[in-house]
Amino acid sequence: MRRAITPTGRERKLEEESFIVSRTDPTGKITYANRVFMEISGYPERDLIGVQHNLIRHPDMPRGVFHFLWEELAAGREFLGFVKNLCSNGDHYWVFASVNPEYDPDKTTRGYYSVRRRPPDSAIAAIDPIYREMLRIEQGCSSKKQAPKESLNYLQELLSGKGVSYEQFVLDLYLA
Ligand SMILES: Cc1cc2nc3c(=O)[nH]c(=O)nc-3n(C[C@H](O)[C@H](O)[C@H](O)COP(=O)(O)O)c2cc1C
């Protein structure tokens, strides 16, 4: 059993020019982590390789976001989005992530890879209250299975009300 980590509320910032890179197998177990990932998350390589990527899942992150991530990957598409991650000591860091499938020559899915950069503070300020509302919806949902779908529904309705696609919304925030 993994030891539960208590969030400290302290934020770490990724350097402007840095990239966090990781790769996983088809089930989401980490197969590669670059040095920046190890440094900011506080985990040495031996604690990352072979471990599910949810090791760094922050409890403030709504499940609906990851539900959408896996839906996009299963459909062979790139996922773009803002993610708040948990460090080994409970601190957190925000990233703008691109997650993509990787294929073998025979076109079977070999796994996935992700590249993340530092998001602007304005993007974090915009996405944080939306994630909080998604989390509130999930916590109020009686069915654990239905909860991520309901919170994702909220996000999709919010964006369709603004007349903007999810991808355009996150790119506009990232490039602001
Ligand atoms: C390549 C790749 C990178 C991922 N990166 C992260 C990440 O940085 N943080 C995170 O919480 N989940 C990440 N995930 C998603 C996790 O696998 C997992 O779905 C998520 O943490 C939610 O955990 P849960 O499914 O146990 O609720 C990534 C998945 C893949 C395939």
Side-chain angles (χ1 to χ4, degrees):
M1 270 286 272
R2 238 185 246 161
R3 189 175 52 88
I5 298 171
T6 308
T8 60
R10 261 194 318 265
E11 183 175 8
R12 293 187 187 180
K13 293 276 192 194
L14 189 56
E15 298 287 332
E16 284 288 355
E17 298 310 320
S18 291
F19 293 96
I20 297 174
V21 182
S22 64
R23 295 169 89 173
T24 72
D25 70 7
T27 71
K29 273 193 191 142
I30 299 169
T31 55
Y32 169 80
N34 74 345
R35 188 152 300 282
V36 179
F37 185 13
M38 294 180 229
E39 281 169 3
I40 197 158
S41 67
Y43 290 105
E45 193 172 41
R46 66 173 179 278
D47 289 354
L48 294 172
I49 304 300
V51 173
Q52 281 290 335
H53 220 308
N54 68 5
L55 174 71
I56 56 165
R57 183 186 188 285
H58 196 288
D60 287 353
M61 278 300 294
R63 291 190 185 279
V65 173
F66 298 116
H67 182 77
F68 182 56
L69 176 153
W70 284 104
E71 254 180 14
E72 290 297 281
L73 294 181
R77 290 190 291 261
E78 174 186 23
F79 165 84
L80 288 175
F82 297 95
V83 182
K84 183 177 186 177
N85 279 324
L86 191 63
C87 306
S88 63
N89 73 342
D91 292 355
H92 65 267
Y93 61 97
W94 280 92
V95 294
F96 182 60
S98 156
V99 190
N100 294 271
E102 283 195 278
Y103 300 100
D104 277 326
D106 68 359
K107 297 195 174 66
T108 53
T109 304
R110 174 190 301 189
Y112 305 101
Y113 71 94
S114 175
V115 179
R116 305 122 178 142
R117 299 207 59 173
R118 172 173 166 165
D121 289 345
S122 58
I124 299 172
I127 206 78
D128 196 34
I130 296 175
Y131 283 1
R132 277 176 204 275
E133 182 59 17
M134 289 175 74
L135 205 59
R136 201 189 59 77
I137 291 168
E138 290 175 11
Q139 284 161 352
C141 188
S142 52
S143 153
K144 203 172 171 208
K145 187 150 180 266
Q146 202 52 30
K149 293 181 190 155
E150 287 203 5
S151 71
L152 189 56
N153 231 5
Y154 160 79
L155 176 63
Q156 281 163 345
E157 278 175 14
L158 182 78
L159 299 185
S160 78
K162 291 180 192 284
V164 66
S165 69
Y166 171 82
E167 191 172 48
Q168 198 55 55
F169 178 68
V170 293
L171 279 173
D172 285 350
L173 288 180
Y174 178 60
L175 297 171

